[in-house]
Structure formats: structure tokens, C-alpha cells
């Protein structure tokens, strides 16, 4: 494994209106990190020392630098226009690259686990079963498990199988000329893959045993937040947080500096409470709540399975 490419530059049109501010992977959740940070963290655990190339949009450059520029082996590339994954890959890899690379999306918080599974093969693409093939890139497999075709979002009733691509690819540099051929097309990656699999043995690896994450619509943030908080098991209360003696705190609760928890508040984790936030008297904050910085929750309120962003 020579390089890892993580894509976080798409238009995210289905993520409207939240995509107006940032790419969807730059939203915070869990215990205060962005989704992109969670993905990169998992990849670093799996492949420490391998160069990670992040492809982002221009609007997110300053934030990406703040989060990643100081980290060793992480490089940031800016895709000026959201012209597809193929162009983004080519931008990050470069023409002179020779070796193997892993390509995935910034919202794949379990990408590290998927990579470990793909590496059991020479070249491979992660796939899952689906009952709605019209929404995904679909692959057909031969009897040996190698991919024979790739079709992006087949029409109703036209799918050759229910095997969907799950945005995780382990390929080598022989794939790059195929990308160059279709680079001007928004679906260049899918079209290049369809030709590539006809001439190369690419294994389709089912990863249904690894928890999936979906981040197409704004409400999907709730599910991703729940999954991140579930696996973090973090209990931490900052020294500067003001906690009333009558407050009750149970489970995995992360309270940042300057937060104020008033009288007779009950917090049942997993919960994250950001900097300088205020929880009013007799409030109940329950499982899978993410309360960002400078948020006020008034007295006698109940919050559960919710995300309240800053201010």
C-alpha cells in the first residue's frame, strides 16, 4: 500500500441546505471531531505511515489546514470544481505514480477496517448487498468472485445484480490510464472501472459484516453521530466546566471547557456538550445528543438523539 486517497470535494447536492456551508464531511459530531477526522483516524490506525491524500473543495481549505496540515503524512489537494471522483483521484495521485492505492470517501468512518479486508486480495472493490440498486453503482460478479461489469445507477429493473459499490477501492497504477481516458466526464471513475475490470482481475469483496455509514442527506448525520458515540466510550469532564452538585451524570458523557450544567439536570450518555454551552435547570439530555459550542438549552427541556450546532 503506497497511498490512500480520501475524497471530500463533491457538491453534496442532496445534503442541502447544510452543504451550503461546508462539504458534508466537515460537520462535527460524536465527541467533537469532524466526520473527515473520524475517517482519517481509522485509516491511520490501520495504515500508520502511509501517505494520506485529502481532496477537498476550495471553500474548505482553511478548515482542512487547521485540522490536518500539522499531521505527518497527510497532504491536502484542492479540486476547484466538483467534476467527479476520477478527476479528484488523478489530482491526488499524479501522473508519475507507480504502486498501489486505496480510494475512499471522507464519510466512510470504517474505511480502515474495509481496507484491511480488501488487502487480502491483489486488487479489489468493496461491495454490499442492496435491494435498491437504482441508487448505486452496481457490479456483476463471475463464479470466482471477480467483477465483470460496473454500471452507475441502473434504471428500474435493469440492474444485473444487487451488489453495490461502497466507495472503497484497492487498485494499482495500471488503472490511471483508464481515468485519463474519461477524465472530462463526471462519472469518469465508474466508466473507467467498467473498462478496467474487463481487462484485469478485480475481486468483489463483500463487507456487509462491517457497519455501514450513509451520509447522503442531512438527517443521516443523526445515524453517523450515534455510531461514532457508541464506539468511542469516552467519559470526560473538563476542569473548567461548572457542574451543579444536584446534577446527575450517567454513562459516556463528554463535557468541554466552560460548559455550565445547572441545578437538577440529568444527562444520560452517550452525550457530547461543547465549550461554553449552558444546560438549564431540570433539563434532561439523553442518549446520542451532540450539543456544540455556545448552545443554550433552556430550563425544563428534554433533548434526545439530536444535533444542535454552534450558537
Amino acid at each position: 500500500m503506497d497511498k490512500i486517497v480520501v475524497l471530500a470535494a463533491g457538491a453534496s447536492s442532496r445534503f442541502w441546505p447544510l452543504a451550503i456551508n461546508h462539504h458534508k464531511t466537515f460537520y462535527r459530531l460524536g465527541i467533537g471531531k469532524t466526520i473527515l477526522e473520524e475517517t482519517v483516524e481509522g485509516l491511520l490506525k490501520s495504515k500508520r505511515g502511509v501517505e494520506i491524500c485529502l481532496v477537498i473543495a476550495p471553500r474548505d481549505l482553511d478548515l482542512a489546514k487547521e485540522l490536518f496540515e500539522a499531521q505527518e503524512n497527510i497532504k491536502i489537494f484542492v479540486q476547484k470544481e466538483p467534476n467527479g471522483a476520477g478527476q479528484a483521484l488523478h489530482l491526488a495521485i499524479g501522473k508519475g505514480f507507480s504502486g498501489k492505492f486505496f480510494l475512499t470517501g471522507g464519510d466512510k468512518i470504517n474505511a480502515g477496517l474495509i481496507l484491511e479486508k480488501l488487502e487480502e486480495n491483489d486488487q479489489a472493490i468493496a461491495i454490499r448487498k442492496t435491494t435498491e440498486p437504482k441508487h448505486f453503482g452496481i457490479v456483476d460478479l463471475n463464479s470466482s468472485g471477480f467483477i465483470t461489469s460496473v454500471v452507475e445507477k441502473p434504471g428500474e429493473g435493469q440492474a444485473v445484480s444487487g451488489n453495490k459499490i461502497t466507495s472503497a477501492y484497492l487498485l494499482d497504477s495500471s488503472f490511471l490510464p483508464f481515468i485519463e481516458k474519461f477524465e472530462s466526464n463526471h462519472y469518469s471513475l465508474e466508466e473507467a472501472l467498467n473498462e478496467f475490470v474487463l481487462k484485469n482481475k478485480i475481486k468483489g469483496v463483500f463487507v456487509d459484516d462491517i457497519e455501514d455509514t450513509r451520509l447522503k442527506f442531512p438527517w443521516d448525520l443523526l445515524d453517523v453521530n450515534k455510531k461514532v458515540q457508541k464506539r468511542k466510550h469516552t467519559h470526560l469532564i473538563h476542569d473548567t466546566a461548572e457542574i451543579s452538585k444536584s446534577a446527575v451524570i450517567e454513562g459516556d458523557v463528554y463535557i468541554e471547557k466552560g460548559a455550565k450544567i445547572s441545578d437538577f439536570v440529568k444527562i444520560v450518555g452517550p452525550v457530547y456538550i461543547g465549550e461554553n454551552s449552558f444546560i438549564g435547570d431540570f433539563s434532561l439530555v439523553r442518549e446520542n445528543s451532540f450539543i456544540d459550542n455556545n448552545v443554550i438549552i433552556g430550563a425544563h427541556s428534554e433533548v434526545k438523539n439530536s444535533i444542535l450546532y454552534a450558537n
Side-chain angles (χ1 to χ4, degrees), residues 188-252:
S188 56
L189 178 64
E190 292 78 14
E191 293 190 10
L193 281 170
N194 190 41
E195 283 206 7
F196 189 61
V197 299
L198 296 177
K199 301 176 181 179
N200 297 269
K201 287 189 173 183
I202 314 300
K203 195 79 175 213
V205 178
F206 286 100
V207 293
D208 296 273
D209 58 324
I210 298 174
E211 189 175 48
D212 196 13
T213 53
R214 169 192 171 103
L215 194 63
K216 293 186 180 296
F217 303 98
W219 48 86
D220 291 330
L221 284 167
L222 294 170
D223 182 61
V224 179
N225 176 63
K226 183 176 181 179
K227 287 173 178 174
V228 173
Q229 288 189 337
K230 179 182 176 182
R231 72 184 190 182
K232 285 295 184 179
H233 298 298
T234 302
H235 184 89
L236 179 66
I237 300 176
H238 197 276
D239 292 341
T240 63
E242 298 180 33
I243 312 294
S244 169
K245 291 182 179 179
S246 60
V248 176
I249 299 175
E250 300 176 354
D252 297 325

Side-chain angles (χ1 to χ4, degrees), residues 19-299:
I20 293 172
N21 298 320
H22 293 291
H23 185 269
K24 60 187 179 181
T25 60
F26 281 93
Y27 278 90
R28 287 165 22 107
L29 40 66
I31 58 169
K33 293 182 179 181
T34 65
I35 297 166
L36 186 56
E37 286 177 282
E38 294 287 349
T39 297
V40 169
E41 184 180 282
L43 288 165
L44 287 172
K45 286 181 181 178
S46 176
K47 283 292 174 184
R48 188 165 297 278
V50 175
E51 182 177 278
I52 296 180
C53 304
L54 305 180
V55 183
I56 62 162
R59 62 179 175 174
D60 296 317
L61 179 57
D62 289 342
L63 181 53
K65 285 182 176 180
E66 179 185 329
L67 297 175
F68 300 108
E69 195 170 44
Q71 295 191 45
E72 190 177 356
N73 296 326
I74 295 181
K75 291 186 177 181
I76 299 170
F77 297 84
V78 177
Q79 187 180 22
K80 293 181 180 179
E81 299 291 338
N83 292 327
Q87 185 193 75
L89 171 64
H90 204 224
L91 174 68
I93 290 288
K95 290 187 177 181
F97 174 75
S98 178
K100 278 191 178 183
F101 64 89
F102 176 66
L103 173 67
T104 192
D107 59 334
K108 296 299 176 186
I109 60 174
N110 291 322
L113 298 175
I114 294 174
L115 173 55
E116 291 175 2
K117 197 162 185 178
L118 294 190
E119 281 194 304
E120 298 172 6
N121 304 274
D122 184 33
Q123 297 190 83
I125 297 175
I127 56 178
R128 296 179 185 273
K129 288 291 186 182
T130 180
T131 57
E132 298 181 297
K134 64 181 179 180
H135 297 304
F136 305 99
I138 298 297
V139 304
D140 196 17
L141 305 176
N142 65 20
S143 58
S144 300
F146 291 104
I147 298 172
T148 57
S149 68
V150 177
V151 179
E152 178 65 16
K153 298 182 179 67
E156 189 75 47
Q158 297 179 0
V160 294
S161 75
N163 306 323
K164 70 170 183 175
I165 294 176
T166 186
S167 299
Y169 314 83
L170 177 65
L171 303 168
D172 65 32
S173 48
S174 64
F175 177 63
L176 298 181
F178 291 81
I179 281 290
E180 292 177 10
K181 182 177 177 180
F182 296 99
E183 190 172 5
S184 61
N185 190 327
H186 185 77
Y187 290 112
S188 56
L189 178 64
E190 292 78 14
E191 293 190 10
L193 281 170
N194 190 41
E195 283 206 7
F196 189 61
V197 299
L198 296 177
K199 301 176 181 179
N200 297 269
K201 287 189 173 183
I202 314 300
K203 195 79 175 213
V205 178
F206 286 100
V207 293
D208 296 273
D209 58 324
I210 298 174
E211 189 175 48
D212 196 13
T213 53
R214 169 192 171 103
L215 194 63
K216 293 186 180 296
F217 303 98
W219 48 86
D220 291 330
L221 284 167
L222 294 170
D223 182 61
V224 179
N225 176 63
K226 183 176 181 179
K227 287 173 178 174
V228 173
Q229 288 189 337
K230 179 182 176 182
R231 72 184 190 182
K232 285 295 184 179
H233 298 298
T234 302
H235 184 89
L236 179 66
I237 300 176
H238 197 276
D239 292 341
T240 63
E242 298 180 33
I243 312 294
S244 169
K245 291 182 179 179
S246 60
V248 176
I249 299 175
E250 300 176 354
D252 297 325
V253 176
Y254 196 115
I255 302 177
E256 294 277 19
K257 64 182 180 181
K260 185 174 181 180
I261 311 301
S262 300
D263 293 333
F264 301 103
V265 168
K266 185 172 184 179
I267 304 175
V268 182
V271 165
Y272 173 87
I273 299 175
E275 295 180 13
N276 304 313
S277 284
F278 174 83
I279 314 297
D281 295 347
F282 295 96
S283 290
L284 174 59
V285 182
R286 296 175 57 201
E287 297 92 332
N288 304 122
S289 293
F290 179 88
I291 299 167
D292 209 345
N293 303 334
N294 305 305
V295 170
I296 296 174
I297 294 178

